[in-house]
Amino acid sequence: MKVTVVGTGYVGLVSGACLADVGNDVLCLDVDPGKIRILESGGLPIHEPGLLEIVRRNVNAGRLAFTTDIERAARHGLVQFIAVGTPPDEDGSADLQYVLAAAKNIGRYMDDYRVVVDKSTVPVGTGDKVRTAIAEALAARGAQFEFAVVSNPEFLKEGAALDDFMRPDRIVVGAEDARAIALMHALYAPFQRNHERLLVMDIKSAELTKYAANAMLATRISFMNELANLAETLGADIELVRQGVGSDPRIGWHFLYAGCGYGGSCFPKDVKALVRTGHDAGHDLLVLSAVEEANDAQKRRLVAKITARFGDKLAGLRFALWGLAFKPNTDDMREAPSRVIVDELTRRGADIVAYDPVAVNEARRVFADRYPTLSYAAHPMDAVAGADALVIVTEWKEFRSPDFDAIRATLKQPVIFDGRNMYDPAAMRRHGIDYHGMGRC
């Protein structure tokens, strides 16, 4: 099947590559010539494990191509995926300008029946706006081609996006057009050979499903972080509480880890957008407002622990910081806790030497020259050397079992602030390390 994917970010590039990998003829469009140059030269504009290999394989096979030509893209695919950004507006609502621009361009240049699929995370009612944008563009050129609009939200985890696409838990399709539904079944058939995973519903329900899923996961994270803070005050251990709670099959184990807050391109933006959607509809979502407030506070929790130990004025002190990305296996720093922590510590006069396996280049771009006391290390122990304390912000696998005796010997003071509860407090005490976790005792 011929497929066009508009947008070559995480969602668009992963979707296009995976669809090509099962035999489809995929053309990825992006209006950013820089991204297309990177892709055409054999590189990637993003970091996602395994993606480079699958992109190169399908480009070499002739099933995957890239372009900035809008007309070519609109005329290529029977199915047109819109996978562009929906950044938060000033009021927290999702900015739909890129989605609607993509829809208009499809209407301007389509030359036959098209299934236009909203893959971007969009507010309820966006399907109607996309339909109107396409219809208006067709009317402006006096064309009368038929088309269908479908909502097909993505459920991809950065760092595991390929596996999520190839082996999905569910495939949500919001559509009312029988032909479009049949085409979506055919397109996704290779990814559900074991059993049917495609859930067909109306468009508005599909749009709300995506927001509901992310909001639920964000709620679990903030709830556990709030409990961790309470456990710390009461002298309880949040890790033991997690085990007791997670063993209940009604609750389960996922997203029950306390830490220094969630970040990334999805949870913060989608919680804000859903809160705004509720407000605009006359239904204030009190729980989600609290989730957002709790997460903002949690990003500063590590800083509070540091100042409680060293005082509010940190000039003359140096901190090793392990982890810059908002989570492992990605270089994405959007809304990452590290951004708040770096800002708060440098504002108090601290020097920071940061290490991350893949996000240093992104950090250099994000931070630019704003923090003269921030530098970067090529190895985790290089960051630790001569530091007054180690601060762990991202739970990269390579941080799980370091040489604690070497860390203790290398630090000026044997102090670890662990924002991801990677280590056992009793083990740290045996190593002679002053250990500060999140809700641990």
Side-chain angles (χ1 to χ4, degrees), residues 3 9 25 91 94 104 113 130 136 182 196 200-201 208 260 265 273 303 319 338 360-361 382-383 394 396:
V3 176
D25 180 2
D91 61 359
K104 290 175 184 176
Y113 175 79
V130 167
E136 289 177 349
E196 181 69 36
V200 178
M201 58 187 73
L208 185 56
C260 51
S265 63
V303 176
F319 295 92
S338 64
V360 167
N361 287 338
D382 292 341
T394 312
W396 284 96

mmCIF file of all heavy atoms in Angstrom, residues 3 9 25 91 94 104 113 130 136 182 196 200-201 208 260 265 273 303 319 338 360-361 382-383 394 396:
data_model
loop_
_atom_site.group_PDB
_atom_site.id
_atom_site.type_symbol
_atom_site.label_atom_id
_atom_site.label_comp_id
_atom_site.label_asym_id
_atom_site.label_seq_id
_atom_site.Cartn_x
_atom_site.Cartn_y
_atom_site.Cartn_z
ATOM 1 N N VAL A 3 1.790 4.821 1.201
ATOM 2 C CA VAL A 3 1.537 5.556 2.442
ATOM 3 C C VAL A 3 2.395 6.806 2.461
ATOM 4 O O VAL A 3 3.589 6.762 2.130
ATOM 5 C CB VAL A 3 1.870 4.686 3.673
ATOM 6 C CG1 VAL A 3 1.697 5.485 4.961
ATOM 7 C CG2 VAL A 3 1.014 3.424 3.701
ATOM 8 N N GLY A 9 9.385 13.300 13.041
ATOM 9 C CA GLY A 9 9.805 13.220 14.433
ATOM 10 C C GLY A 9 9.732 11.776 14.913
ATOM 11 O O GLY A 9 9.720 10.834 14.122
ATOM 12 N N ASP A 25 4.922 0.978 0.545
ATOM 13 C CA ASP A 25 5.691 2.006 -0.172
ATOM 14 C C ASP A 25 5.449 3.324 0.553
ATOM 15 O O ASP A 25 4.387 3.939 0.414
ATOM 16 C CB ASP A 25 5.221 2.070 -1.630
ATOM 17 C CG ASP A 25 5.965 3.120 -2.447
ATOM 18 O OD1 ASP A 25 6.871 3.787 -1.904
ATOM 19 O OD2 ASP A 25 5.622 3.283 -3.641
ATOM 20 N N ASP A 91 -1.892 28.896 26.935
ATOM 21 C CA ASP A 91 -2.918 28.534 27.910
ATOM 22 C C ASP A 91 -2.939 27.037 28.217
ATOM 23 O O ASP A 91 -3.817 26.552 28.925
ATOM 24 C CB ASP A 91 -4.306 28.979 27.430
ATOM 25 C CG ASP A 91 -4.714 28.318 26.116
ATOM 26 O OD1 ASP A 91 -3.916 27.526 25.569
ATOM 27 O OD2 ASP A 91 -5.832 28.591 25.647
ATOM 28 N N ALA A 94 -3.449 22.407 23.157
ATOM 29 C CA ALA A 94 -2.591 21.937 22.072
ATOM 30 C C ALA A 94 -2.680 22.889 20.880
ATOM 31 O O ALA A 94 -3.765 23.292 20.471
ATOM 32 C CB ALA A 94 -2.993 20.528 21.654
ATOM 33 N N LYS A 104 -4.680 20.959 5.190
ATOM 34 C CA LYS A 104 -4.942 21.857 4.058
ATOM 35 C C LYS A 104 -4.091 21.483 2.850
ATOM 36 O O LYS A 104 -4.565 21.514 1.702
ATOM 37 C CB LYS A 104 -4.679 23.302 4.471
ATOM 38 C CG LYS A 104 -5.697 23.867 5.453
ATOM 39 C CD LYS A 104 -5.302 25.262 5.918
ATOM 40 C CE LYS A 104 -6.275 25.785 6.974
ATOM 41 N NZ LYS A 104 -5.862 27.106 7.515
ATOM 42 N N TYR A 113 -9.157 9.498 -3.989
ATOM 43 C CA TYR A 113 -9.619 9.191 -2.625
ATOM 44 C C TYR A 113 -8.433 9.078 -1.668
ATOM 45 O O TYR A 113 -7.404 8.486 -2.005
ATOM 46 C CB TYR A 113 -10.409 7.881 -2.644
ATOM 47 C CG TYR A 113 -10.845 7.397 -1.275
ATOM 48 C CD1 TYR A 113 -11.949 7.945 -0.637
ATOM 49 C CD2 TYR A 113 -10.139 6.379 -0.637
ATOM 50 C CE1 TYR A 113 -12.348 7.487 0.613
ATOM 51 C CE2 TYR A 113 -10.528 5.915 0.613
ATOM 52 C CZ TYR A 113 -11.631 6.478 1.245
ATOM 53 O OH TYR A 113 -12.026 6.026 2.482
ATOM 54 N N VAL A 130 -9.986 18.875 10.968
ATOM 55 C CA VAL A 130 -9.198 18.357 9.838
ATOM 56 C C VAL A 130 -10.106 18.142 8.632
ATOM 57 O O VAL A 130 -9.753 18.495 7.484
ATOM 58 C CB VAL A 130 -8.493 17.042 10.242
ATOM 59 C CG1 VAL A 130 -7.937 16.315 9.014
ATOM 60 C CG2 VAL A 130 -7.375 17.329 11.230
ATOM 61 N N GLU A 136 -12.443 22.544 2.647
ATOM 62 C CA GLU A 136 -12.277 23.923 2.193
ATOM 63 C C GLU A 136 -11.191 24.034 1.134
ATOM 64 O O GLU A 136 -11.322 24.787 0.154
ATOM 65 C CB GLU A 136 -11.967 24.833 3.382
ATOM 66 C CG GLU A 136 -13.160 25.048 4.309
ATOM 67 C CD GLU A 136 -12.808 25.893 5.515
ATOM 68 O OE1 GLU A 136 -11.598 26.136 5.742
ATOM 69 O OE2 GLU A 136 -13.741 26.316 6.238
ATOM 70 N N ALA A 182 -11.719 -0.564 6.598
ATOM 71 C CA ALA A 182 -11.168 -1.741 5.923
ATOM 72 C C ALA A 182 -9.701 -1.528 5.555
ATOM 73 O O ALA A 182 -8.869 -2.448 5.686
ATOM 74 C CB ALA A 182 -11.993 -2.052 4.672
ATOM 75 N N GLU A 196 -6.375 -10.347 17.124
ATOM 76 C CA GLU A 196 -6.903 -9.024 16.755
ATOM 77 C C GLU A 196 -6.633 -8.016 17.875
ATOM 78 O O GLU A 196 -7.027 -8.219 19.029
ATOM 79 C CB GLU A 196 -8.400 -9.109 16.493
ATOM 80 C CG GLU A 196 -9.048 -7.792 16.088
ATOM 81 C CD GLU A 196 -8.621 -7.330 14.695
ATOM 82 O OE1 GLU A 196 -8.442 -8.184 13.805
ATOM 83 O OE2 GLU A 196 -8.464 -6.118 14.509
ATOM 84 N N VAL A 200 -11.968 -0.500 16.973
ATOM 85 C CA VAL A 200 -12.637 0.530 16.175
ATOM 86 C C VAL A 200 -13.672 1.245 17.042
ATOM 87 O O VAL A 200 -14.456 0.612 17.750
ATOM 88 C CB VAL A 200 -13.320 -0.087 14.940
ATOM 89 C CG1 VAL A 200 -14.049 0.998 14.144
ATOM 90 C CG2 VAL A 200 -12.289 -0.787 14.057
ATOM 91 N N MET A 201 -13.642 2.564 16.974
ATOM 92 C CA MET A 201 -14.576 3.392 17.743
ATOM 93 C C MET A 201 -14.806 4.685 16.978
ATOM 94 O O MET A 201 -14.229 4.905 15.897
ATOM 95 C CB MET A 201 -14.000 3.675 19.138
ATOM 96 C CG MET A 201 -12.647 4.370 19.142
ATOM 97 S SD MET A 201 -11.912 4.504 20.809
ATOM 98 C CE MET A 201 -11.410 2.810 21.109
ATOM 99 N N LEU A 208 -9.928 11.007 22.676
ATOM 100 C CA LEU A 208 -9.906 11.084 24.134
ATOM 101 C C LEU A 208 -9.132 9.918 24.751
ATOM 102 O O LEU A 208 -8.498 10.069 25.801
ATOM 103 C CB LEU A 208 -11.328 11.116 24.686
ATOM 104 C CG LEU A 208 -11.473 11.309 26.203
ATOM 105 C CD1 LEU A 208 -10.761 12.577 26.671
ATOM 106 C CD2 LEU A 208 -12.948 11.337 26.591
ATOM 107 N N CYS A 260 12.091 11.735 40.584
ATOM 108 C CA CYS A 260 12.196 13.201 40.609
ATOM 109 C C CYS A 260 11.298 13.844 39.556
ATOM 110 O O CYS A 260 11.579 14.947 39.081
ATOM 111 C CB CYS A 260 13.646 13.645 40.441
ATOM 112 S SG CYS A 260 14.523 12.925 39.037
ATOM 113 N N SER A 265 8.049 14.543 25.897
ATOM 114 C CA SER A 265 7.215 15.275 24.942
ATOM 115 C C SER A 265 5.732 14.986 25.107
ATOM 116 O O SER A 265 4.913 15.650 24.478
ATOM 117 C CB SER A 265 7.632 14.903 23.510
ATOM 118 O OG SER A 265 7.410 13.518 23.281
ATOM 119 N N ALA A 273 -2.982 19.780 28.212
ATOM 120 C CA ALA A 273 -4.008 19.901 27.176
ATOM 121 C C ALA A 273 -5.345 19.329 27.643
ATOM 122 O O ALA A 273 -6.410 19.894 27.348
ATOM 123 C CB ALA A 273 -3.543 19.203 25.901
ATOM 124 N N VAL A 303 16.719 19.075 44.626
ATOM 125 C CA VAL A 303 17.410 20.320 44.985
ATOM 126 C C VAL A 303 17.195 20.627 46.465
ATOM 127 O O VAL A 303 18.124 21.041 47.165
ATOM 128 C CB VAL A 303 16.924 21.489 44.103
ATOM 129 C CG1 VAL A 303 17.579 22.797 44.541
ATOM 130 C CG2 VAL A 303 17.221 21.199 42.637
ATOM 131 N N PHE A 319 29.062 19.414 41.698
ATOM 132 C CA PHE A 319 28.190 18.244 41.713
ATOM 133 C C PHE A 319 28.327 17.470 40.409
ATOM 134 O O PHE A 319 28.289 18.052 39.320
ATOM 135 C CB PHE A 319 26.731 18.669 41.916
ATOM 136 C CG PHE A 319 26.486 19.302 43.258
ATOM 137 C CD1 PHE A 319 26.587 20.687 43.413
ATOM 138 C CD2 PHE A 319 26.181 18.535 44.357
ATOM 139 C CE1 PHE A 319 26.376 21.271 44.648
ATOM 140 C CE2 PHE A 319 25.967 19.111 45.598
ATOM 141 C CZ PHE A 319 26.073 20.485 45.743
ATOM 142 N N SER A 338 16.148 17.161 34.703
ATOM 143 C CA SER A 338 17.517 17.679 34.713
ATOM 144 C C SER A 338 17.559 19.172 34.404
ATOM 145 O O SER A 338 18.429 19.901 34.927
ATOM 146 C CB SER A 338 18.380 16.931 33.697
ATOM 147 O OG SER A 338 17.921 17.155 32.371
ATOM 148 N N VAL A 360 24.198 14.369 25.623
ATOM 149 C CA VAL A 360 25.082 15.522 25.835
ATOM 150 C C VAL A 360 24.954 16.532 24.704
ATOM 151 O O VAL A 360 24.887 17.752 24.947
ATOM 152 C CB VAL A 360 26.540 15.050 26.009
ATOM 153 C CG1 VAL A 360 27.501 16.239 25.909
ATOM 154 C CG2 VAL A 360 26.723 14.363 27.358
ATOM 155 N N ASN A 361 24.908 16.065 23.464
ATOM 156 C CA ASN A 361 24.770 17.014 22.349
ATOM 157 C C ASN A 361 23.454 17.772 22.433
ATOM 158 O O ASN A 361 23.391 18.978 22.157
ATOM 159 C CB ASN A 361 24.879 16.289 21.014
ATOM 160 C CG ASN A 361 26.291 15.847 20.708
ATOM 161 O OD1 ASN A 361 27.256 16.407 21.250
ATOM 162 N ND2 ASN A 361 26.444 14.846 19.852
ATOM 163 N N ASP A 382 34.448 10.293 35.214
ATOM 164 C CA ASP A 382 35.080 11.601 34.989
ATOM 165 C C ASP A 382 34.247 12.710 35.622
ATOM 166 O O ASP A 382 34.797 13.700 36.129
ATOM 167 C CB ASP A 382 35.241 11.874 33.492
ATOM 168 C CG ASP A 382 36.251 10.939 32.839
ATOM 169 O OD1 ASP A 382 37.069 10.356 33.567
ATOM 170 O OD2 ASP A 382 36.198 10.792 31.598
ATOM 171 N N ALA A 383 32.934 12.554 35.583
ATOM 172 C CA ALA A 383 32.061 13.546 36.218
ATOM 173 C C ALA A 383 32.205 13.501 37.734
ATOM 174 O O ALA A 383 32.174 14.534 38.411
ATOM 175 C CB ALA A 383 30.607 13.290 35.823
ATOM 176 N N THR A 394 18.655 10.372 35.797
ATOM 177 C CA THR A 394 18.075 9.466 34.811
ATOM 178 C C THR A 394 18.566 8.053 35.100
ATOM 179 O O THR A 394 19.760 7.847 35.322
ATOM 180 C CB THR A 394 18.486 9.865 33.380
ATOM 181 O OG1 THR A 394 18.279 11.264 33.206
ATOM 182 C CG2 THR A 394 17.686 9.099 32.349
ATOM 183 N N TRP A 396 19.653 5.367 33.693
ATOM 184 C CA TRP A 396 20.309 4.599 32.637
ATOM 185 C C TRP A 396 20.817 3.268 33.185
ATOM 186 O O TRP A 396 21.271 3.177 34.323
ATOM 187 C CB TRP A 396 21.476 5.391 32.060
ATOM 188 C CG TRP A 396 21.065 6.493 31.131
ATOM 189 C CD1 TRP A 396 20.905 7.814 31.457
ATOM 190 C CD2 TRP A 396 20.773 6.378 29.740
ATOM 191 N NE1 TRP A 396 20.536 8.518 30.348
ATOM 192 C CE2 TRP A 396 20.445 7.677 29.280
ATOM 193 C CE3 TRP A 396 20.758 5.316 28.841
ATOM 194 C CZ2 TRP A 396 20.105 7.923 27.958
ATOM 195 C CZ3 TRP A 396 20.424 5.561 27.523
ATOM 196 C CH2 TRP A 396 20.100 6.854 27.086
#
